Amino acid sequence: MQKDKFDRIISFLLGASWAIVIFGALITFKVFLFLGFSLALFTTVVFVVVAFFLILALDSFAINRKRLDEAIKQTELLEKIYTLNKPHKTL
């Protein structure tokens, strides 16, 4: 099954987001480590939580796109059923 441009872009952004979470958490921890272990751990957890919300937003875009595609298919089927079963007016 061929993916359209939207699906490819979302897939790429999801993969890049996971890489940013992993490397960003490591970098955030190392940057704040000189202020103390507990502060570095806290800022890293905050960074990861915010990044997970961004990943969740990207995933919701993909899910809503699939929901829209299904709604379009259902609308087409309902229109076909309606045209086949439309009552004919007789004068």
Side-chain angles (χ1 to χ4, degrees), residues 22-37:
I22 293 170
F23 291 119
L26 180 65
I27 291 170
T28 302
F29 184 76
K30 285 190 175 190
V31 165
F32 286 97
L33 190 58
F34 77 95
L35 296 174
F37 180 78

Side-chain angles (χ1 to χ4, degrees), residues 3-4 6 13 18 22 29 35 37 40 43-44 47-48 63 78 80 85-87 90-91:
K3 288 185 174 183
D4 62 347
F6 181 81
L13 289 175
W18 279 106
I22 293 170
F29 184 76
L35 296 174
F37 180 78
T43 55
T44 303
F47 173 80
V48 169
I63 289 171
L78 287 173
K80 286 179 184 178
N85 294 326
K86 187 175 13 173
T90 56
L91 295 174

Side-chain angles (χ1 to χ4, degrees), residues 4-69:
D4 62 347
K5 289 181 183 179
F6 181 81
D7 290 332
R8 282 189 259 160
I9 290 171
I10 292 294
S11 295
F12 173 76
L13 289 175
L14 279 171
S17 297
W18 279 106
I20 289 171
V21 167
I22 293 170
F23 291 119
L26 180 65
I27 291 170
T28 302
F29 184 76
K30 285 190 175 190
V31 165
F32 286 97
L33 190 58
F34 77 95
L35 296 174
F37 180 78
S38 59
L39 183 64
L41 187 63
F42 176 74
T43 55
T44 303
V45 168
V46 169
F47 173 80
V48 169
V49 168
V50 170
F52 282 161
F53 278 116
L54 296 176
I55 290 173
L56 185 64
L58 282 173
D59 198 34
S60 70
F61 287 147
I63 289 171
N64 285 333
R65 173 64 182 234
K66 290 177 185 177
R67 186 182 301 165
L68 175 65
D69 290 340

